[in-house]
């Protein structure tokens, strides 16, 4: 099992956007030059002091960063074992880590002279985070959302509309997140001249996986400083949920060279990996090409993408960021899966013990973290990314309890 | 010489432009595809382009997306599509057949296995929409070793350098996407297409096909004066879609529009 030196992790991706065999640039010809322009602009502004100062200022005064690192004392005690710390991305403006990325990409869109923003969304968190920054900067905004997701996330649809975005229902394919992404790509190819496509996760064609990783890495940079300041030492393990994988890579990336730190990504096992009704491509899928990059996918033997299942709409995606695929193959990170039921138990446990209602996505990370911590000792530390808050999931959880709100 | 180059050479000798007709294999059900291919060839399609159904056809507009969904309801796979070509070849040895699809089904089969099965079943060329030349090293090796033409797309956004690189990687013909958009989108502007096609011709002697947004005999005729081939897809697929309640009407409807286009193109 190769554990690589600093350079092996921090030199990736290569010029073509590859993480080993994963990533790359697999799109129709019309998008190739626009993606090259995006890449050039991104590389230019990530070395531009004015851009970075504006980004830092927005993260501080608009998003509310740094987000706290919180020692979950009662949860740790109830679990027995390692101390559990939570990185509180749920306290960001709009309630999740998604806004770290949309703020960054919107600033880039402004520098590139684009006037129209498009995005895809599943649960609606990325759509809301995009509509939010579009409202602030005065961009026209169109969000694509699967018709199935629109029906189960009414509150977020309304939030996006309040923010001035047009929400377009996608009626093709499985009518969920992957189809919303297809439709956003179709819009982009048609309106390439004035439109900036803000992808919400570390997937898609190069440079999106590296760009979104860099914007989300603020999570891990802060967490690394905070844990040393608060505990006088680094963590023994990191835990984050993985759908596309943006909150996870944001936490993991600044720790990749810390060899003693175990890294765990938690996928959605849905009704159980054995049932086939899950959203765990790293645990149970195989390599393929979708949405512009090569990565692990949920697919049948003929290469058709298959429908996924998870109680959390944000994890309900058949692919995963290519850097996660690479971290899995190199052995630097381990990927595990947690069922709907285990995630719900963790949702209730954190709410009860700490007074923090987590998003169902983040509840997957909590579920695995407590399992992991239970087998460790009190001098050890597990650091969990609490990627979002659970307000958006009230309807889902209430209806499981037989309550209509 | 591949069937595709033969076809273009014969047409050029007669000062004619190729008409390439696209349908999605297995739409609306697998049994219709081979007879429909024969009917298309008889109606004046010089090359037949067969869409390989995929769950996520990102470059296609709504008409062809729905065709993919109809075919996938019958479980039509890449292997099934190649079997259809094999069956078509029993009655037609001359009309080139080009597969057009997305990369993942090809990856699932493996490049080498795909290239050899494609060749074996009588496929002449392959367009893989989401496979740019930058990523195509092993794919090209596999296609070339079997003598299957790898056809690439060029777009209004393609700059000089990309045009040059893509023309070097391509064989058979190059496919110029006439507009910024998906298949079946708005009507292309003829002047802009003409300018770009003449730019492409500076980089290659391969025939240049023009497709996307060609909806009727008039636009087919106009494009025939610009390209070496006119590629029509969504208009044929919408004829299929309009006849879903009356499957008997599908073939006559597709034949009628193709014949009208062929006649209009032959007037120039």
């Amino acid at each position: 099992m190769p554990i690589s030196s600093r350079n092996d992790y921090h030199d990736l991706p290569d010029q073509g956007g590859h993480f080993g065999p994963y990533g790359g640039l697999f799109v129709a010809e019309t998008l190739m030059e626009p993606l090259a322009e995006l890449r050039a602009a991104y590389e230019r502004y990530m070395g531009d002091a004015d851009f970075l100062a504006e980004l830092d200022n927005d993260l501080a005064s608009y998003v509310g960063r740094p987000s706290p690192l919180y020692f979950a004392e009662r949860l740790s005690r109830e679990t027995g074992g390692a101390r559990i710390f939570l990185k509180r991305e749920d306290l960001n403006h709009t309630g999740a880590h998604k806004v770290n990325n949309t703020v960054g990409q919107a600033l880039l869109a402004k520098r590139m002279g684009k006037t129209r923003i498009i995005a895809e969304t599943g649960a609606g968190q990325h759509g809301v985070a995009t509509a939010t920054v579009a409202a602030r900067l005065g961009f026209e905004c169109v969000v694509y959302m699967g018709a199935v997701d629109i029906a189960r996330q009414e509150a977020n649809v309304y939030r996006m509309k309040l923010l001035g975005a047009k929400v377009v229902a996608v009626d093709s394919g499985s009518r969920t997140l992957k189809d919303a992404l297809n439709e956003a790509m179709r819009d982009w190819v048609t309106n390439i001249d004035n439109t900036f496509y803000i992808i919400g996760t570390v997937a898609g064609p190069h440079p999106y996986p590296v760009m979104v990783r860099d914007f989300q890495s603020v999570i891990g940079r802060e967490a690394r400083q905070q844990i040393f300041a608060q505990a006088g030492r680094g963590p023994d393990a990191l835990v984050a949920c993985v759908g596309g994988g943006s909150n996870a890579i944001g936490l993991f990336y600044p720790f990749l060279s810390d060899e003693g730190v175990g890294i765990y990504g938690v996928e959605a096992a849905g009704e159980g990996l054995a049932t086939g009704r899950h959203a765990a491509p790293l645990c149970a899928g195989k390599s393929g090409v979708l949405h512009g990059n090569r990565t692990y996918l949920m697919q049948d033997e003929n290469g058709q993408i298959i429908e996924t299942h998870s109680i959390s709409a944000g994890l309900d995606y058949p692919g995963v960021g290519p850097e996660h695929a690479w971290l899995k193959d190199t052995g630097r990170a381990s990927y595990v899966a947690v069922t709907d039921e285990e995630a719900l138990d963790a949702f209730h446990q954190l709410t009860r013990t700490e007074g923090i209602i987590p998003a169902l996505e983040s509840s997957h990370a909590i579920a695995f973290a407590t399992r992991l911590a239970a087998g460790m000792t009190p001098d050890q530390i597990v650091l969990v990314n609490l990627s979002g808050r659970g307000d958006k999931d009230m309807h889902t959880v209430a209806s499981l309890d037989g309550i209509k709100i | 010489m591949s069937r595709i180059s033969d076809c273009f050479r014969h047409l050029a000798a007669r000062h004619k432009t190729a008409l390439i007709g696209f349908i999605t294999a297995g739409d609306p059900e697998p049994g219709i595809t081979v007879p429909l291919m024969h009917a298309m060839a008889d109606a004046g399609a010089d090359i037949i382009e067969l869409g390989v159904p995929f769950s996520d056809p990102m470059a296609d507009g709504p008409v062809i997306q729905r065709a993919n969904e109809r075919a996938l309801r019958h479980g039509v796979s890449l292997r099934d599509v190649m079997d259809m070509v094999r069956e078509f070849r029993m009655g037609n040895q001359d009309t080139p057949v080009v597969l057009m699809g997305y990369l993942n089904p090809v990856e699932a089969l493996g490049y080498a296995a795909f290239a050899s099965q494609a060749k074996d079943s009588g496929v002449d060329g392959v367009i893989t929409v989401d496979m740019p030349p930058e990523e195509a090293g092993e794919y090209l090796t596999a296609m070339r070793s079997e003598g299957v033409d790898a056809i690439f797309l060029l777009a209004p956004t393609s700059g000089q350098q990309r045009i040059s690189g893509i023309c070097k990687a391509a064989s058979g013909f190059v496919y110029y996407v006439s507009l910024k958009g998906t298949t079946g989108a708005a009507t292309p502007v003829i002047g802009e297409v003409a300018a770009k096609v003449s730019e492409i011709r500076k980089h290659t002697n391969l025939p240049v096909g023009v497709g996307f947004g060609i909806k009727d005999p008039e636009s087919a005729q106009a494009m025939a004066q610009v390209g070496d081939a006119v590629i029509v897809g969504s208009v044929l697929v919408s004829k299929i879609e309009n006849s879903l309640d009356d499957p008997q009407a599908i073939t006559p409807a597709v034949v009628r529009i193709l014949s009208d286009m062929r006649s209009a193109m032959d007037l120039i």
Side-chain angles (χ1 to χ4, degrees), chain A residues 101-336:
Chain A
N101 169 50
T102 60
V103 161
Q105 289 198 48
L107 286 183
L108 196 56
K110 194 171 85 173
R111 290 290 203 284
M112 292 177 74
K114 304 290 183 181
T115 56
R116 181 173 176 271
I117 297 283
I118 58 169
E120 83 293 340
T121 197
Q125 289 304 104
H126 174 58
V128 167
T130 302
T132 297
V133 296
R136 177 173 175 245
L137 295 174
F139 287 124
E140 180 190 350
C141 180
V142 178
V143 178
Y144 290 92
M145 190 167 181
V148 169
D149 291 333
I150 284 185
R152 61 184 176 182
Q153 298 288 344
E154 281 173 68
N156 270 344
V157 174
Y158 186 60
R159 283 169 85 189
M160 288 184 270
K161 289 181 180 167
L162 283 176
L163 289 160
K166 182 179 165 199
V167 181
V168 179
V170 178
D171 264 316
S172 55
S174 59
R175 297 166 180 80
T176 58
L177 176 57
K178 78 174 176 70
D179 309 286
L181 215 152
N182 293 337
E183 205 55 37
M185 284 280 185
R186 292 177 188 123
D187 177 313
W188 199 33
V189 91
T190 308
N191 301 293
I192 203 87
D193 296 330
N194 70 343
T195 298
F196 190 104
Y197 179 16
I198 299 187
I199 292 185
T201 193
V202 285
H206 184 53
Y208 283 100
V210 61
M211 180 166 70
V212 177
R213 176 195 75 192
D214 290 350
F215 286 136
Q216 291 293 1
S217 290
V218 65
I219 301 171
R221 284 198 306 273
E222 287 176 4
R224 203 166 176 282
Q225 281 184 348
Q226 289 166 323
I227 195 70
F228 278 98
Q230 291 178 31
R233 67 190 292 269
D236 298 279
L238 305 175
V239 180
C241 64
V242 178
S246 68
N247 91 81
I249 214 79
L251 176 66
F252 298 168
Y253 187 69
F255 288 93
L256 288 177
S257 304
D258 297 335
E259 291 186 17
V261 179
I263 296 181
Y264 298 90
V266 186
E267 293 193 304
E271 295 174 6
L273 292 184
T275 65
R277 286 179 53 75
H278 58 80
L282 288 166
C283 292
K286 62 182 204 299
S287 173
V289 172
L290 180 70
H291 293 150
N293 65 117
R294 182 178 286 118
T295 186
Y296 282 84
L297 298 174
M298 302 268 294
Q299 55 180 318
D300 68 15
E301 69 279 10
N302 294 316
Q304 306 294 347
I305 307 308
I306 55 181
E307 286 188 36
T308 51
H309 171 81
S310 169
I311 191 170
S312 96
L315 301 183
D316 213 348
Y317 179 65
V320 63
E323 192 162 8
H324 287 293
W326 175 238
L327 291 174
K328 172 189 160 76
D329 282 12
T330 59
R332 180 64 189 95
S334 305
Y335 294 88
V336 296

Side-chain angles (χ1 to χ4, degrees), chain B residues 101-182:
Chain B
Y102 293 81
L103 184 55
N104 202 50
V106 174
E107 291 243 332
L109 196 54
Y111 297 155
F114 169 62
S116 111
Q117 289 175 35
K119 182 69 186 179
D120 191 52
S121 58
V123 169
D124 303 289
V126 178
I127 303 168
T128 303
V129 178
D130 51 350
M131 173 58 107
E134 286 88 338
E135 300 280 358
E138 288 174 40
Y139 167 92
L140 277 174
T141 306
M143 297 299 164
R144 282 173 186 154
S145 76
E146 296 290 346
V148 176
D149 285 326
I151 295 155
F152 287 97
L153 306 181
L154 284 167
T157 50
S158 309
Q160 290 286 344
Q161 219 177 342
R162 291 195 59 77
I163 293 176
S164 158
I166 289 168
C167 287
K168 284 195 186 83
S171 59
F173 65 96
V174 293
Y175 186 140
Y176 180 61
V177 174
S178 64
L179 48 80
K180 293 173 193 165
T182 52

